[in-house]
Amino acid sequence: MDDSYQVIVVGGGFAGKTAAEELGRKGVRVLLLDANNYQQFQPLLYQVAASQIGVSTVTRPLRSEFRGINSVRVLTAEVTNIDAANRTVTTADGSSYRAQALVIATGAVPNFFNTPGADEHAYPLYSVADATRLSAAITAVLDEADREPGVDADVIVVGGGPTGVETAGALAENVKYLVPKYFSPELAARCHVHLVDMVPNVLAAFSAKSQAYARDRLTKLGVQAHMGTAVGEVRPNGVTLKDGTVVPARIVVWAGGLQAGRIITESGLKQGRGGRVDVQPDLTAPGVEGVYVLGDSANITDADGNKLPQARVSGAAIGEVGGPQYLC
Ligand SMILES: Cc1cc2nc3c(=O)[nH]c(=O)nc-3n(C[C@H](O)[C@H](O)[C@H](O)COP(=O)(O)OP(=O)(O)OC[C@H]3O[C@@H](n4cnc5c(N)ncnc54)[C@H](O)[C@@H]3O)c2cc1C
């Protein structure tokens, strides 16, 4: 058991990395653990998935980010167990670490809401690995449809929140601007992008003006929206909606929701909505000493008691004028 650190931070995303930086600049001895040796910039994952940018644009090596902050040690290791009560973490190689304070910032994982077939057949989009896998799958479908006349290359995006809207928009941009250029206009005519959500409007959590703008942009890009009906089943060749409508497609992208991962479930911490920890205003987890939960792993309220969203849209693009430049 290594107990030489004052603080252990699990997860080097936006939340954990910022916490480790702030502590490190104050000279606190921090161990930062992440399963990857890079921080991923999730807001642009949809462009990686659409092959419009490369992976290097959305990843930053964690060690280089901490160059010059000597009291922070970065370790690439998957944490397999968190014992919150004892502020102890165990990594995949069996090593254990204990500290005076534990910061949990492990983000989130897809929530398929027990939709039959979704786990097996849908492509989630919450990590660099997800984005590159999806990009490769879409490319393979395009290549196959290019070889075989008459084969369609439709994609369904499930979830009309920010991730789904951005992804559907980027894929439709490809169909409009890039597929005709790099493949053929004839193939582009066999590529359709569908957006499905159980609620009637896209961007349901946003203003009516934003919803109308997004809907208008998506329509102009050719996205076919199927709103107001939940997905009943995901199959290898499309989805069946709960009203019985069958929407065929070669690929189904899942942007339908998030939940805290297994690591939180097994930590002994009490879980609230979405499996996240309902933290107190100072981000401490209730019922244990010295444990903080940050970012997408936590349900956080503002000073007035309002729940903060896990994600805020930064005005990311749907439908840039003139379209994207690359189909990488
Ligand atoms: C496609 C997409 C688009 C988005 N767009 C926007 C946007 O435009 N604007 C915006 O504000 N927000 C956006 N968000 C949300 C935003 O990216 C998240 O709210 C933010 O990344 C959460 O930060 P975090 O540090 O809590 O988690 P993450 O950034 O997910 O970081 C969690 C880290 O923990 C590590 N980890 C997880 N489990 C383990 C383990 N067991 N062991 C070791 N390491 C582990 C992971 O490798 C990861 O590095 C978007 C999210 C997605 C998925």
Side-chain angles (χ1 to χ4, degrees):
M1 171 79 69
D2 183 346
D3 59 2
S4 59
Y5 300 96
Q6 291 170 285
V7 178
I8 294 171
V9 179
V10 186
F14 287 131
K17 179 179 158 266
T18 306
E21 263 171 2
E22 292 290 320
L23 292 166
R25 288 207 176 94
K26 291 180 169 59
V28 177
R29 289 192 313 283
V30 177
L31 175 64
L32 173 63
L33 296 155
D34 198 292
N36 300 308
N37 65 352
Y38 53 81
Q39 183 198 0
Q40 57 192 1
F41 188 75
Q42 291 176 342
L44 291 183
L45 287 182
Y46 75 98
Q47 284 192 298
V48 175
S51 304
Q52 294 175 353
I53 59 173
V55 166
S56 62
T57 311
V58 295
T59 52
R60 291 225 169 147
L62 275 172
R63 284 192 177 79
S64 76
E65 293 287 292
F66 284 91
R67 204 169 34 211
I69 308 181
N70 295 331
S71 66
V72 178
R73 180 186 172 208
V74 176
L75 190 60
T76 306
E78 185 194 355
V79 171
T80 50
N81 183 262
I82 295 175
D83 177 352
N86 291 304
R87 298 184 303 278
T88 302
V89 302
T90 306
T91 54
D93 67 357
S95 304
S96 290
Y97 304 87
R98 186 172 193 277
Q100 293 156 30
L102 176 59
V103 176
I104 303 173
T106 47
V109 297
N111 189 347
F112 295 111
F113 297 104
N114 298 319
T115 306
D119 193 3
E120 193 183 348
H121 302 301
Y123 288 79
L125 184 54
Y126 299 106
S127 67
V128 171
D130 291 342
T132 51
R133 183 170 156 256
L134 179 53
S135 165
I138 292 172
T139 304
V141 163
L142 284 174
D143 282 338
E144 187 196 330
D146 191 36
R147 283 193 308 270
E148 302 194 21
V151 172
D152 285 344
D154 290 11
V155 176
I156 297 170
V157 178
V158 180
T163 299
V165 165
E166 287 174 337
T167 305
L171 295 175
E173 283 177 337
N174 284 356
V175 173
K176 186 168 181 174
Y177 300 108
L178 301 183
V179 176
K181 188 168 152 189
Y182 295 124
F183 290 88
S184 69
E186 189 278 320
L187 175 56
R190 286 185 277 133
C191 300
H192 306 98
V193 179
H194 302 264
L195 182 63
V196 179
D197 200 308
M198 62 192 291
V199 298
N201 296 311
V202 295
L203 301 183
F206 293 78
S207 68
K209 192 177 162 199
S210 298
Q211 291 174 10
Y213 175 79
R215 183 69 182 256
D216 180 55
R217 293 295 302 164
L218 291 171
T219 302
K220 285 186 174 136
L221 283 166
V223 174
Q224 298 178 26
H226 309 257
M227 305 300 293
T229 311
V231 171
E233 183 186 3
V234 179
R235 291 172 286 96
N237 56 354
V239 303
T240 305
L241 304 183
K242 284 206 165 151
D243 65 3
T245 307
V246 173
V247 186
R250 303 294 304 285
I251 287 178
V252 179
V253 182
W254 191 268
L258 291 170
Q259 61 184 335
R262 177 196 59 81
I263 200 80
I264 299 281
T265 309
E266 295 172 0
S267 68
L269 292 173
K270 191 165 174 285
Q271 292 176 277
R273 189 168 178 269
R276 294 178 283 263
V277 177
D278 294 335
V279 291
Q280 301 174 100
D282 62 358
L283 304 180
T284 50
V288 282
E289 286 288 315
V291 179
Y292 299 77
V293 187
L294 319 181
D296 281 5
S297 301
N299 290 319
I300 303 172
T301 48
D302 66 14
D304 299 324
N306 303 311
K307 282 192 168 35
L308 294 172
Q310 267 68 45
R312 277 173 191 271
V313 182
S314 54
I318 52 164
E320 297 288 344
V321 176
Q325 299 300 309
Y326 306 108
L327 193 57
C328 299

